Amino acid sequence: MSHNSAKTPLEIAEEDYQDKLRQKQESEGYYDNKRIEMGLQGTDRVAGYLDNPGPFFHRKIIYAHKDFDRIVDAIDNGREWIIVSGLNPSGPLHFGHKAMFDILLWFQRELGANIHIPITSDETYVVNKSKSLKQSRFYAYEYVIPSIIALGFDPAKTKIYVTSDYPDIYNLSIYLGKYVTANTVRGVFGLEGSTNISQLFYMGVVQLAEIILPQLPEFGGAKPTLVPVGIDQHPYITLSRDVAEKVHLVPPAELIWKFLISLKGPGQKMSASVEDSAIYLTDKLEDVERKIKRAYSGGSPLASMQKERGAIPEVCSVFSLLTYNFLSNEEWDKTLNAYKSGEMLTSELKKMTLGYVLDFLAEHQSKREQAKKLIPEFMLSTSLKSFLELDSLPGLPSQ
Amino acid sequence: MKFDFTAFLNQKSLIHQSVPGPGRIVNDVTSRAHKKTLNVMYGETYDRFGLALGSLKYYFTVAMAAKLLHEMGTNVSPTILIADVATCRNEPEEQHELLMEIGSQRASILRSLNAVYGLGLDVLLMSEYLYTREFQARVTKIRELAKEDNKFHEWITKTVPESKIDIESKKDFAYAFDEVATITSYDIKVGPPREIFYDEPARMVASALGMDPLLSIYLYPTYPLGLGRSFFLNNEEIEKYGVTPYKAGSKGLEANRIILGVTGTQRVKELISQSVVSKNQRIPNAVLDVAIIAELANQFLAKEFEPITIREQFYEGSMRPDQLRDLTFEGIMKSILSVIPPIALKGMYHVAQ
């Protein structure tokens, strides 16, 4: 007889509750510590300065920033600014990706953002998330780009490119690479000698070239650039800021968002590389139902305990799915309070979430097919010549 | 709606806070009115940049309070105190003569404003009473009372920015004690919110001095004009307290203030159009303050008084930012800039513009 079998249901539920409390503290501590360690500021103050802070600030999904006030300044004074945010195409998009694109969409719809979306097929390949460039390019055009378009971006304000099909980016990388040493790249990313040279090149310069690209004369020159990223991407921004200053361009600002919790529980993000940790935008409806039913929740195994103490939404993958993807702020506040107070049980939360997810997927999957026809409207094809023909980039005056 | 002193105290557009609250102020005023003349005051220092529009808000408010108290059958004495000696304290000695002269000029412009708007305000210079035996005895008494009271000292320390505590401490907080001694002799004081740091210690010593405790009316902070939201985002202290309303050069932002007789029509227009005006109440709204001052001026010119509701119309109603800007520009031109005779402002500023 195992030790556990001797425990009463109440004892098991109590242990589960204490575990969840601990997970909540760990998760909050992780984000707070990282913010302080990386010298980033909290977003409460800047969010208060937006006329409509939208769902992502309200729900503390976006929780830290560096230089976001430069963006506020640009918006306020009607000056040009841009967002750069991409991803590597290692398969279909999941709801974690959707949440990131929803953040971009919110900036575009509410604040008029122009957006560059690099789809980094080269990164997918060099970090072994695809067996070939052919495969990562296939993912890009078959799944990723149609899904992005289907989410509703404005073609006049959104430019997408697949890095391996936009070789000019490599010319720019060579140009900027002169300002980055191998030691810096190894130090910033903690890479070892066994790292393949393509990965070193990608991490060291290609990603920063993607961030700096909109400041080239071909795109209107130096301008504030906002890069919304997860906390693990912060080193890229640090490197980009350093290089931007060296070439007299505007150091990019960053907004840090918290990861969408994996369906398997807190401590890991929704990820394509962990089976059943994510719901994909291409999932069949019956698979979604199965995943949500099995998803890790913030509730108690005993309904009576949950009614008494309430759930712990901060560690609940299902509540997280709702938080990142659905509900108005008013509905979200109401649901949060109901779940937290014990008024709403996990089964009710899962049913509600399933409804939202299935409705969204039915519509999205149909739009995604139609979106394939719109791909050419969104693709960036601007030829890059400025840094080939000029002695230096016409950026900000030298300091 | 009847516009009486109670309605005056409840004007959300004008009054940020009152201590100890509208109801108790009305009760106190009523009981004091039986035995004496009520003294209502606002006091200000100044600088060499000229008369900031922000001062007018306080002049008009004191005059309006006095008018409504008078209508209640109360004897009222409304006073604007010009703290000429205090102004000189932190300035080099060679400038004292000029600054004292500016103080006298400020007193004379106040008399002109009395004539233009019918304000009925008395003007008192600090130099006229500071060195009297009676006043010095009161300061000494307050210093003695303060020695035994840590809480009093805590408030006095808060009257100066942290960076200047050492300097003021070496001067035994002379300015703060003079200010407290001055305001204890008044019944109602109008001022910006930050003056609670003087008013609280004044209330603490009132009974020991045999005085009635001070009643305070705090108006909304004044913000610099012509600046976007990122300025306030990056200047938290200005976001919280604004600039000193009566010092045109407060925080080095004289270019962002309307200075009577100095700031031309075109610049006023620019300052209004370039200021952030948002429905988000978290973001300082410098234009709204100008609109309210213009409306106060308009009511005094028309001699028709009613509660000011522009703040509510903007934040709770359908007034758009562009409408507020238009209303503000038209209002200030019509009721202030085209009304005050330039001759009245002669000699008010002493720096190259």
Side-chain angles (χ1 to χ4, degrees):
Chain A
M1 184 185 278
S2 77
H3 179 68
N4 256 353
S5 64
K7 290 183 180 171
T8 65
L10 194 64
E11 285 169 334
I12 292 169
E14 180 63 36
E15 264 181 26
D16 177 77
Y17 186 75
Q18 294 304 329
D19 265 354
K20 283 173 176 158
L21 279 181
R22 182 185 46 75
Q23 287 166 347
K24 178 190 165 188
Q25 280 168 358
E26 277 175 9
S27 156
E28 287 170 352
Y30 169 80
Y31 283 112
D32 285 345
N33 292 340
K34 284 280 183 192
R35 181 178 72 73
I36 294 163
E37 185 188 311
M38 292 173 173
L40 300 163
Q41 290 173 288
T43 50
D44 283 354
R45 200 169 143 67
V46 284
Y49 267 71
L50 297 172
D51 289 339
N52 165 19
F56 302 102
F57 286 104
H58 178 77
R59 302 173 198 186
K60 311 265 185 210
I61 293 169
I62 296 172
Y63 85 107
H65 78 96
K66 192 169 196 90
D67 281 359
F68 184 62
D69 43 316
R70 285 190 189 216
I71 304 298
V72 173
D73 192 49
I75 295 167
D76 214 24
N77 292 297
R79 288 198 303 268
E80 211 185 333
W81 63 287
I82 195 160
I83 291 181
V84 176
S85 184
L87 84 168
N88 70 71
S90 55
L93 298 188
H94 55 61
F95 273 81
H97 298 124
K98 174 188 170 290
M100 185 193 81
F101 286 113
D102 282 346
I103 292 175
L104 306 189
L105 264 176
W106 181 83
F107 273 105
Q108 187 164 86
R109 286 173 179 163
E110 291 292 323
L111 302 171
N114 285 308
I115 305 176
H116 270 196
I117 305 177
I119 307 297
T120 57
S121 50
D122 45 6
E123 181 189 13
T124 313
Y125 170 66
V126 300
V127 300
N128 299 317
K129 286 187 177 177
S130 70
K131 62 183 181 199
S132 62
L133 279 168
K134 180 186 170 191
Q135 189 181 46
S136 60
R137 289 178 63 245
F138 171 77
Y139 290 147
Y141 292 105
E142 181 60 24
Y143 299 122
V144 175
I145 297 173
S147 264
I148 293 171
I149 294 171
L151 288 173
F153 284 93
D154 175 356
K157 288 180 160 288
T158 312
K159 285 298 158 210
I160 302 174
Y161 57 97
V162 177
T163 42
S164 47
D165 292 345
Y166 189 55
D168 284 16
I169 199 75
Y170 300 121
N171 254 349
L172 179 60
S173 302
I174 292 292
Y175 176 80
L176 297 172
K178 196 180 151 190
Y179 299 93
V180 183
T181 67
N183 278 344
T184 303
V185 178
R186 288 162 90 164
V188 168
F189 298 104
L191 300 177
E192 292 172 4
S194 57
T195 306
N196 73 61
I197 202 74
S198 296
Q199 190 176 344
L200 206 67
F201 180 62
Y202 178 80
M203 295 176 90
V205 279
V206 180
Q207 185 145 332
L208 84 86
E210 293 157 13
I211 293 171
I212 284 174
L213 177 75
Q215 297 200 56
L216 293 184
E218 289 85 341
F219 302 99
K223 63 176 75 65
T225 305
L226 178 65
V227 192
V229 287
I231 194 83
D232 59 337
Q233 302 281 300
H234 175 74
Y236 285 111
I237 313 300
T238 305
L239 188 61
S240 308
R241 288 174 64 86
D242 184 39
V243 173
E245 273 186 32
K246 284 177 181 163
V247 295
H248 308 302
L249 294 173
V250 185
E254 67 182 310
L255 270 186
I256 307 285
W257 62 296
K258 294 179 185 171
F259 299 122
L260 175 59
I261 298 175
S262 155
L263 293 178
K264 292 182 172 295
Q268 44 188 322
K269 61 179 177 177
M270 199 172 260
S271 164
S273 44
V274 182
E275 201 187 344
D276 276 0
S277 77
I279 296 173
Y280 293 93
L281 303 192
T282 49
D283 270 354
K284 289 183 184 145
L285 306 190
E286 57 269 27
D287 289 336
V288 175
E289 194 166 355
R290 176 180 55 80
K291 286 179 182 179
I292 289 183
K293 269 187 184 162
R294 288 184 189 170
Y296 186 85
S297 86
S300 168
L302 285 181
S304 57
M305 184 180 276
Q306 191 169 336
K307 280 181 186 163
E308 190 192 319
R309 295 186 184 178
I312 303 174
E314 294 83 355
V315 301
C316 180
S317 69
V318 184
F319 188 77
S320 180
L321 199 55
L322 268 183
T323 299
Y324 279 66
N325 291 283
F326 304 106
L327 306 181
S328 67
N329 279 344
E330 201 177 294
E331 290 165 333
W332 182 80
D333 287 339
K334 211 172 140 190
T335 309
L336 172 70
N337 290 333
Y339 192 42
K340 213 172 182 171
S341 67
E343 194 188 314
M344 178 184 261
L345 291 176
T346 306
S347 55
E348 295 168 278
L349 182 85
K350 285 189 170 180
K351 191 177 166 193
M352 176 185 181
T353 308
L354 180 65
Y356 279 114
V357 172
L358 293 183
D359 284 352
F360 170 80
L361 286 182
E363 194 183 337
H364 179 78
Q365 290 176 1
S366 137
K367 278 185 182 171
R368 199 166 58 83
E369 282 311 306
Q370 295 161 20
K372 285 180 181 170
K373 293 177 202 146
L374 302 174
I375 292 176
E377 272 186 62
F378 282 85
M379 299 311 285
L380 180 71
S381 56
T382 309
S383 171
L384 305 182
K385 290 205 168 83
S386 55
F387 54 89
L388 301 176
E389 293 171 353
L390 298 170
D391 288 334
S392 64
L393 289 174
L396 301 172
S398 295
Q399 301 284 313
Chain B
M1 182 186 170
K2 190 184 166 202
F3 188 42
D4 57 13
F5 188 62
T6 306
F8 163 80
L9 290 173
N10 283 305
Q11 285 179 105
K12 286 184 194 160
S13 277
L14 180 65
I15 295 173
H16 179 258
Q17 192 195 356
S18 58
V19 177
R24 283 189 56 192
I25 290 179
V26 172
N27 287 343
D28 281 6
V29 159
T30 311
S31 64
R32 288 181 204 185
H34 295 302
K35 50 184 185 183
K36 64 174 185 179
T37 295
L38 286 178
N39 292 311
V40 184
M41 68 89 67
Y42 156 71
E44 62 182 12
T45 53
Y46 50 86
D47 57 24
R48 293 166 297 129
F49 292 95
L51 181 63
L53 181 73
S55 284
L56 264 58
K57 182 167 68 167
Y58 294 88
Y59 304 162
F60 290 137
T61 305
V62 170
M64 189 178 269
K67 180 194 162 296
L68 295 169
L69 285 166
H70 182 72
E71 284 173 9
M72 282 169 69
T74 308
N75 286 327
V76 197
S77 168
T79 303
I80 304 300
L81 191 153
I82 297 171
D84 50 359
V85 180
T87 299
C88 292
R89 277 200 176 124
N90 290 328
E91 298 293 336
E93 204 169 334
E94 60 269 22
Q95 292 193 14
H96 288 188
E97 196 182 331
L98 172 67
L99 288 168
M100 292 300 282
E101 192 192 321
I102 296 175
S104 301
Q105 285 161 349
R106 191 169 273 242
S108 80
I109 191 177
L110 254 158
R111 289 181 197 110
S112 299
L113 293 174
N114 267 341
V116 171
Y117 293 103
L119 302 177
L121 298 167
D122 292 330
V123 185
L124 178 65
L125 289 163
M126 193 179 192
S127 53
E128 291 169 6
Y129 68 84
L130 184 74
Y131 305 110
T132 61
R133 196 172 298 165
E134 186 197 350
F135 184 79
Q136 286 305 318
R138 196 189 305 157
V139 174
T140 308
K141 173 83 175 161
I142 292 172
R143 282 195 181 278
E144 280 167 18
L145 291 167
K147 268 185 199 161
E148 296 151 21
D149 195 334
N150 286 339
K151 196 89 188 153
F152 187 99
H153 261 288
E154 267 177 40
W155 281 105
I156 288 289
T157 312
K158 283 182 194 165
T159 60
V160 285
E162 218 164 284
S163 56
K164 291 187 177 165
I165 286 179
D166 277 353
I167 303 168
E168 286 301 314
S169 185
K170 279 176 194 157
K171 295 182 199 166
D172 285 336
F173 292 96
Y175 177 85
F177 277 98
D178 286 346
E179 167 90 14
V180 172
T182 298
I183 61 182
T184 47
S185 62
Y186 289 89
D187 293 283
I188 299 176
K189 175 173 163 291
V190 180
R194 201 167 194 164
E195 291 192 355
I196 195 165
F197 299 135
Y198 296 107
D199 298 359
E200 280 302 320
R203 278 187 271 277
M204 289 165 74
V205 295
S207 66
L209 295 171
M211 310 274 196
D212 286 321
L214 183 71
L215 308 169
S216 303
I217 296 171
Y218 301 112
L219 307 188
Y220 284 91
T222 295
Y223 297 105
L225 290 150
L227 297 163
R229 73 186 73 202
S230 57
F231 171 82
F232 296 104
L233 185 54
N234 290 315
N235 290 277
E236 205 167 349
E237 199 184 329
I238 296 179
E239 179 206 72
K240 196 169 175 189
Y241 296 110
V243 288
T244 308
Y246 42 82
K247 280 189 168 175
S250 172
K251 313 271 184 206
L253 290 166
E254 60 274 10
N256 298 89
R257 305 288 297 277
I258 295 174
I259 304 172
L260 300 177
V262 174
T263 314
T265 307
Q266 187 52 35
R267 181 62 185 152
V268 169
K269 202 170 197 170
E270 281 168 14
L271 287 172
I272 291 171
S273 68
Q274 289 166 8
S275 297
V276 56
V277 177
S278 167
K279 292 270 187 180
N280 178 353
Q281 292 197 50
R282 165 78 187 266
I283 301 168
N285 190 338
V287 173
L288 183 61
D289 204 46
V290 178
I292 287 165
I293 296 169
E295 176 57 18
L296 282 164
N298 177 48
Q299 293 194 11
F300 274 97
L301 288 174
K303 300 199 187 321
E304 285 174 15
F305 299 92
E306 57 182 33
I308 291 173
T309 57
I310 301 172
R311 188 176 299 274
E312 292 95 313
Q313 286 175 50
F314 181 67
Y315 287 119
E316 294 159 29
S318 56
M319 188 188 285
R320 298 188 312 266
D322 60 311
Q323 289 173 317
L324 177 64
R325 289 180 209 276
D326 291 347
L327 175 87
T328 305
F329 182 69
E330 285 162 21
I332 189 174
M333 289 311 297
K334 179 176 151 237
S335 303
I336 298 177
L337 299 183
S338 64
V339 171
I340 300 174
I343 189 75
L345 300 160
K346 196 165 177 275
M348 277 302 297
Y349 51 92
H350 293 261
V351 286
Q353 299 294 324

